[in-house]
Amino acid sequence: MSHRPFLLAAFVLVGAAGAQEGVLTLQAQAERALAEGRFAAAAEAYLALARAEPDRVAWSLGAAEALARDGRFQDALEHLDGALQRTPGHVGLRVLLAKVNMLHAEELGRGGRRDAHVLFAYQEAAQVARAVVDEHPDERDARLILAEAEFALGNLDAALGEAQAAAERFPHHPGGHIVVAKVWFHRFVAARQRLAGEQPKGKELEQLANEAAAARKATIAAVEAAITADPERAFPHKLLGDVHAWNDNPGQALVCYAKALAIDPNAPVNHDWIGSAARQPKALIHFYQGALDAYRARPDHDERRAATLVWYLGRALFQDKQFAPARDRMRAAYAANPEYANSLHYVWLASYWLGDHDAAEREAAAYARVSAPAFADLLRSLPDRAQTVPILAFLAARAYQGSRIEASAALNHVLALVEDSAEAWNNYAFLCREAGRPQESLTAYEHALALEPDSPQLLNDTAVILHYHLPSPENLARARTMYERAVALAQQQLAGGKLEGADRTRTEQALRDAQANLAKLGGQ
């Protein structure tokens, strides 16, 4: 948004030459932003160009592409609809309209979502692409979008027909071969699943086995054609790995997955399957080190993308108890791509197992400050949670004993999120108060009270925050109510005669504290 006044000002020039210079300036800005992945800035520049010259289709194409790549699919679709009203039937605009609908469908469908919104977007993509193909049979991109949309809709025969037509018309482009391979792979997997689930016999077994073998053969042929057309595309190598994995050939599958990752470290391979197929940690280390070395040998390699392989290599080293190199790799992964914040988990834990408790405490607290909820989510998901959480509790207590209150508070925040107990939230609330963060302390005490609403101690301590640290007429009124409730509950619980030991001592202290604080509140 900050660029808009400058961009629009570019058109306020005297004379035709000046106006043309302004347009060229915006075009350069738009193209540079698009090339650098600054899609919002690119969209803004292209939209300014389109407003200045609404009949220039190139500006509308650029704007819609940038909007879509920025995730603003509805804006892109509306812009394309407007451009098509001005230039009806334009093939490029129609193809991009189909593409944006396809991208929108894929975005909506992330995480396995499959509802009317997703299906409608795929149907729109197919409908627009089919209309283009009917008029322009050699429009490659439209035919490929149509094949992909039909596949996504589950119309396998239609998808295969369009993909085969694309492969025949454009044999040196991988797109058609890839969709052919995807259809046949889908049928191969379905046949293998039926063989495993139904356990047929006799002729039925023979027929299903033949179907699976034929589908596997067709998949491999299509994948190999795609690789021949473009050996630098990762997906065909990944798909070939999937075929070998389903065909119980893990060695060949790993070779194919390594090739895919060497091209694109973010290729959608199943890393958990790779870990099980490699069997031994050292074999897994060798797999990821090889893929990483091969990727870094590419002239266009990008360390931010390489961070994926560095992370998996670090995890494999950690699993092999090579804690020092594992820590180094995880630090490198986070430095290359801060989105890999969970690298910090392996960093602190590796330091702990190396006996460097100072570093472990410091690094665990750093991760907690980056995102305590993400840290807690990771801990909850770990199979060795029962071992790891006590280690974190040890570091939190160590930090408190060393008067490192901020570090202890950060670590206790994670523990509170993981354990979700009144005691854990109480500890975190107390440390926030000690660290001079009363609003966070109040929130934590309220979490604790939600779990133990009849605790005189929690009522008193929450009221203390409202009374002494966040005083306002409303908060003072809340504090008075909490003190009074703490007194009443403490007296009731003590009179019941069931409290013993530490519980009785704590309740007696809460009663004294609440009465004293209520007296201090007085007429406020």
Side-chain angles (χ1 to χ4, degrees), residues 95-165:
V95 171
L96 188 54
L97 180 63
K99 179 181 177 181
V100 173
N101 273 298
M102 189 75 183
L103 293 172
H104 190 202
E106 291 171 351
E107 179 63 27
L108 289 172
R110 289 188 188 278
R113 176 182 171 187
R114 190 80 173 172
D115 58 20
H117 297 287
V118 178
L119 296 177
F120 178 74
Y122 278 125
Q123 288 166 351
E124 282 289 298
Q127 181 179 344
V128 174
R130 187 179 295 108
V132 174
V133 168
D134 288 344
E135 296 175 21
H136 307 278
D138 287 329
E139 179 51 57
R140 186 190 68 197
D141 290 348
R143 192 175 289 277
L144 291 175
I145 291 169
L146 177 56
E148 288 280 10
E150 294 286 18
F151 178 77
L153 289 165
N155 303 326
L156 299 186
D157 289 338
L160 184 59
E162 295 298 340
Q164 287 173 332

Side-chain angles (χ1 to χ4, degrees), residues 83-427:
L84 280 166
Q85 290 177 12
R86 294 189 296 272
T87 315
H90 190 281
V91 174
L93 290 171
R94 293 163 69 194
V95 171
L96 188 54
L97 180 63
K99 179 181 177 181
V100 173
N101 273 298
M102 189 75 183
L103 293 172
H104 190 202
E106 291 171 351
E107 179 63 27
L108 289 172
R110 289 188 188 278
R113 176 182 171 187
R114 190 80 173 172
D115 58 20
H117 297 287
V118 178
L119 296 177
F120 178 74
Y122 278 125
Q123 288 166 351
E124 282 289 298
Q127 181 179 344
V128 174
R130 187 179 295 108
V132 174
V133 168
D134 288 344
E135 296 175 21
H136 307 278
D138 287 329
E139 179 51 57
R140 186 190 68 197
D141 290 348
R143 192 175 289 277
L144 291 175
I145 291 169
L146 177 56
E148 288 280 10
E150 294 286 18
F151 178 77
L153 289 165
N155 303 326
L156 299 186
D157 289 338
L160 184 59
E162 295 298 340
Q164 287 173 332
E168 291 168 3
R169 289 173 182 270
F170 317 107
H172 301 300
H173 188 278
H177 303 298
I178 288 173
V179 182
V180 170
K182 288 166 71 172
V183 173
W184 281 115
F185 178 68
H186 184 277
R187 290 175 172 171
F188 168 58
V189 171
R192 285 297 305 263
Q193 289 175 329
R194 286 187 61 193
L195 282 167
E198 298 175 11
Q199 297 182 343
K201 300 183 183 301
K203 289 185 177 179
E204 188 179 358
L205 171 61
E206 182 180 356
Q207 181 180 348
L208 261 180
N210 287 337
E211 287 179 11
R216 177 177 59 83
K217 183 177 179 181
T219 305
I220 292 174
V223 168
E224 289 177 343
I227 292 173
T228 299
D230 185 2
E232 292 299 297
R233 186 170 293 206
F235 182 78
H237 296 283
K238 179 264 181 190
L239 188 55
L240 187 56
D242 292 344
V243 174
H244 287 303
W246 273 93
N247 203 45
D248 300 323
N249 191 348
Q252 279 299 104
L254 290 173
V255 170
C256 295
Y257 290 147
K259 289 180 180 178
L261 291 169
I263 295 169
D264 178 9
N266 293 318
V269 301
N270 187 330
H271 289 279
D272 289 337
W273 185 92
I274 288 172
S276 63
R279 297 186 180 178
Q280 298 298 323
K282 286 183 171 52
L284 191 59
I285 292 167
H286 177 75
F287 174 86
Y288 283 116
Q289 187 66 65
L292 178 61
D293 291 343
Y295 176 69
R296 281 178 167 163
R298 297 174 61 88
D300 62 343
H301 80 274
D302 177 356
E303 280 304 307
R304 185 177 175 87
R305 297 180 69 80
T308 301
L309 295 174
V310 176
W311 189 92
Y312 280 105
L313 175 59
R315 189 177 71 167
L317 287 162
F318 187 91
Q319 291 168 345
D320 197 40
K321 301 188 186 318
Q322 297 186 46
F323 297 120
R327 182 171 62 177
D328 290 342
R329 299 306 184 281
M330 287 302 185
R331 284 172 173 166
Y334 181 65
N337 188 348
E339 291 182 6
Y340 282 84
N342 60 358
S343 303
L344 299 175
H345 169 74
Y346 293 93
V347 169
W348 78 262
L349 199 51
S351 291
Y352 174 82
W353 289 120
L354 287 167
D356 190 348
H357 293 172
D358 287 340
E361 178 192 312
R362 183 174 61 253
E363 291 155 350
Y367 183 21
R369 292 187 188 101
V370 169
S371 178
F375 195 164
D377 287 344
L378 188 148
L379 287 175
R380 280 191 289 262
S381 71
L382 293 176
D384 62 348
R385 166 184 167 176
Q387 179 188 51
T388 307
V389 172
I391 294 173
L392 192 67
F394 160 74
L395 295 176
R398 183 179 186 272
Y400 178 70
Q401 291 162 4
S403 299
R404 294 179 291 279
I405 302 302
E406 287 287 356
S408 187
L411 297 176
N412 273 282
H413 189 191
V414 177
L415 291 168
L417 289 165
V418 172
E419 297 173 8
D420 198 27
S421 66
E423 181 181 359
W425 283 110
N426 175 69
N427 291 342

Side-chain angles (χ1 to χ4, degrees), residues 439 442-443 445-447 449 459-460 462-467 470 472-486 518 521 524:
Q439 188 58 57
L442 175 62
T443 301
Y445 274 129
E446 287 172 339
H447 275 294
L449 268 175
L459 284 163
N460 175 76
T462 305
V464 164
I465 299 297
L466 295 167
H467 180 183
L470 296 170
S472 70
E474 180 183 356
N475 284 350
L476 292 174
R478 285 185 65 197
R480 183 184 301 278
T481 300
M482 286 184 175
Y483 287 142
E484 290 171 348
R485 179 167 167 75
L518 191 56
L521 184 58
Q524 293 183 42

